[in-house]
């Protein structure tokens, strides 16, 4: 069976508040992520539980969107949202932030929410068609994307502190 979740942690030379403000600012995420390039938000303030947005992604010539809902927004420790399409759950993205010596650690996690039923099969098929990534490739692509996102986040925030 294919792995259905990933979690990577990295130290960041910034306060938990700075990291939370960065990862919960959907406009900034586009500068760190390889796939995510923007959003259409249904809110103007900081994200809160229940807030929705459309997340736009790309993989080469493939461009797609998902409807996302913030499920946890606890500054400065946790920002979590779930994505879906056509009423089908797709994924949960989570950022857990904890103080540590000289800054904080941030853990980015991804969990596949596609069910093992007909709707999950449809969601996996749509992912292969629109995102160009079958399930087996999606796991590897997300791992590389999380590594890159955390590295770029740490680099940007560390530069701001210096």
């Amino acid at each position: 069976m294919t792995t259905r979740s990933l979690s990577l942690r990295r130290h960041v030379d910034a306060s938990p508040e700075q990291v939370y403000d960065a990862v919960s600012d959907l406009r900034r995420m586009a500068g760190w992520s390889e796939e995510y390039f923007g959003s259409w938000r249904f809110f103007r303030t900081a994200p809160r539980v229940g807030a929705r947005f459309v997340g736009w992604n790309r993989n080469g010539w493939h461009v797609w969107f998902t409807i996302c809902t913030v499920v946890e927004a606890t500054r400065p420790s946790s920002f979590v949202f779930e994505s879906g399409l056509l009423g089908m759950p797709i994924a949960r993205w989570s950022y857990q932030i904890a103080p540590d010596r000289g800054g904080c650690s941030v853990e980015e996690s991804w969990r596949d929410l596609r069910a093992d039923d007909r709707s999950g099969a449809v969601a996996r098929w749509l992912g292969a068609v629109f995102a160009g990534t079958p399930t087996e490739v999606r796991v590897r692509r997300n791992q590389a994307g999380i590594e890159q996102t955390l590295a770029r986040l740490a680099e940007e925030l560390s530069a701001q502190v210096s």
Side-chain angles (χ1 to χ4, degrees):
M1 179 167 184
T2 302
T3 300
R4 306 233 359 213
S5 64
L6 298 166
S7 187
L8 298 166
R9 181 180 303 273
R10 182 173 181 123
H11 173 82
V12 178
D13 292 326
S15 72
E17 292 80 9
Q18 289 170 303
V19 172
Y20 179 89
D21 292 347
V23 299
S24 66
D25 183 344
L26 302 169
R27 297 166 296 187
R28 292 177 73 182
M29 186 63 70
W32 310 316
S33 173
E34 188 64 30
E35 282 190 345
Y36 174 82
F37 69 89
S39 67
W40 181 34
R41 298 173 299 141
F42 296 102
F43 54 91
R44 292 186 183 262
T45 61
R48 67 190 184 316
V49 172
R52 295 176 51 136
F53 63 95
V54 176
W56 290 94
N57 303 282
R58 71 173 164 267
N59 175 16
W61 60 270
H62 297 276
V63 176
W64 71 99
F65 69 91
T66 57
I67 307 300
C68 304
T69 303
V70 175
V71 296
E72 187 173 340
T74 307
R75 186 177 190 265
S77 59
S78 182
F79 181 67
V80 183
F81 64 90
E82 292 182 351
S83 64
L85 186 61
L86 303 173
M88 295 177 287
I90 296 174
R92 173 182 273 241
W93 290 90
S94 171
Y95 298 87
Q96 301 300 317
I97 306 152
D100 69 10
R101 201 166 44 214
C104 66
S105 67
V106 59
E107 179 179 42
E108 182 177 2
S109 301
W110 164 82
R111 185 170 43 141
D112 188 343
L113 298 179
R114 296 172 293 184
D116 291 326
D117 60 10
R118 183 179 296 218
S119 71
V122 170
R124 285 186 289 282
W125 179 80
L126 289 171
V129 170
F130 290 103
T133 51
T135 302
E136 312 77 46
V137 175
R138 172 56 41 207
V139 174
R140 289 192 308 271
R141 186 157 175 82
N142 283 354
Q143 180 167 353
I146 290 170
E147 289 170 356
Q148 180 180 56
T149 297
L150 290 176
R152 288 176 174 175
L153 169 72
E155 182 180 335
E156 180 180 313
L157 295 182
S158 295
Q160 290 175 3
V161 171
S162 300

